[in-house]
């Protein structure tokens, strides 16, 4: 009986763990534009039309897109300091989960933007590459969560400029440590 009680208490505690998202009232739809035959050059336009159509549905207050879903299996990419010139694993600072999102994603997900701004429609191919990072990312790379305006590199030598910092979240499981 004692071990069963401990397991139940652990499960109850896990259900109260902050996830960095609020799934209440959210409906998830999955669309693969490549499978649908949409050429890469048209994918942003088609995705925008789909989001606009979803947002226009009765009862929908917001719609957003991402290339990954929470707890849906995510992989990490090597993170490099801005001054790093050799983008090879031995020079990486750490690995980070990377998710591409549309404007409004954090509002829909219920993720709190702590500093800076959200992505906008102006953040597109051809403009500076921007990123929103979580608190743990900022702390591990810069020693502070005050990271807006700072830069880093992943796989692209052009690098990314941080435009916002969001609260930490859970990406793989509810019991993982902040990453």
């Amino acid at each position: 009986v004692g071990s069963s009680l401990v397991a139940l208490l652990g499960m109850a505690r896990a259900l109260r763990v902050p996830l960095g998202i609020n799934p209440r009232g959210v409906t998830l739809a999955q669309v693969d534009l490549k499978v649908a035959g949409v050429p890469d050059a048209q994918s942003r336009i088609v995705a925008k039309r789909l989001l606009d159509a979803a947002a226009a549905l009765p009862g929908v207050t917001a719609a957003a897109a991402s290339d990954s879903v929470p707890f849906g299996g995510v992989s990490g990419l090597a993170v490099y300091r801005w001054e790093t010139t050799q983008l090879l694993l031995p020079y990486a600072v750490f690995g980070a989960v990377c998710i591409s999102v549309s404007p409004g994603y954090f509002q829909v997900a219920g993720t709190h933007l702590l500093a800076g701004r959200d992505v906008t429609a102006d953040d597109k191919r051809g403009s500076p590459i921007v990123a929103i990072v979580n608190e743990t990312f900022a702390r591990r790379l810069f020693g502070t969560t005050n990271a807006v305006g700072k830069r880093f590199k992943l796989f692209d030598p052009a690098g990314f400029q941080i435009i916002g910092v969001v609260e930490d979240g859970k990406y793989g499981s509810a019991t993982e440590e902040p990453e």
Side-chain angles (χ1 to χ4, degrees):
V1 174
S3 62
S4 297
L5 182 58
V6 170
L8 282 173
L9 288 173
M11 186 171 33
R13 199 170 21 258
L15 291 172
R16 290 191 300 269
V17 168
L19 301 176
I21 59 169
N22 182 1
R24 188 163 296 163
V26 174
T27 299
L28 176 67
Q30 187 171 359
V31 177
D32 189 328
L33 297 178
K34 286 187 190 292
V35 170
V38 177
D40 285 344
Q42 297 295 314
S43 63
R44 287 181 74 113
I45 295 165
V46 172
K48 172 90 169 82
R49 286 183 186 151
L50 287 170
L51 286 176
D52 290 346
L57 292 171
V60 173
T61 57
S66 77
D67 65 354
S68 178
V69 295
F71 311 114
V74 291
S75 58
L77 292 174
V79 175
Y80 302 91
R81 295 192 189 285
W82 174 248
E83 55 278 353
T84 302
T85 56
Q86 294 188 23
L87 303 182
L88 303 170
L89 278 180
Y91 300 99
V93 181
F94 55 85
V97 172
C98 297
I99 303 168
S100 293
V101 300
S102 71
Y105 172 82
F106 297 107
Q107 175 194 353
V108 171
T111 303
H112 298 104
L113 184 66
L114 304 174
R117 67 172 178 87
D118 198 349
V119 292
T120 69
D122 292 332
D123 298 316
K124 57 187 174 216
R125 288 188 182 112
S127 60
I129 305 170
V130 298
I132 295 176
V133 301
N134 70 12
E135 296 170 283
T136 296
F137 182 106
R139 214 176 286 112
R140 286 181 71 186
L141 191 58
F142 304 111
T144 178
T145 58
N146 184 15
V148 174
K150 296 185 182 205
R151 301 182 82 163
F152 67 94
K153 294 177 182 174
L154 293 174
F155 48 81
D156 190 330
F160 294 74
Q161 180 165 359
I162 298 171
I163 59 168
V165 177
V166 294
E167 66 183 314
D168 284 342
K170 305 291 184 178
Y171 308 101
S173 77
T175 57
E176 71 189 16
E177 292 297 316
E179 59 179 282

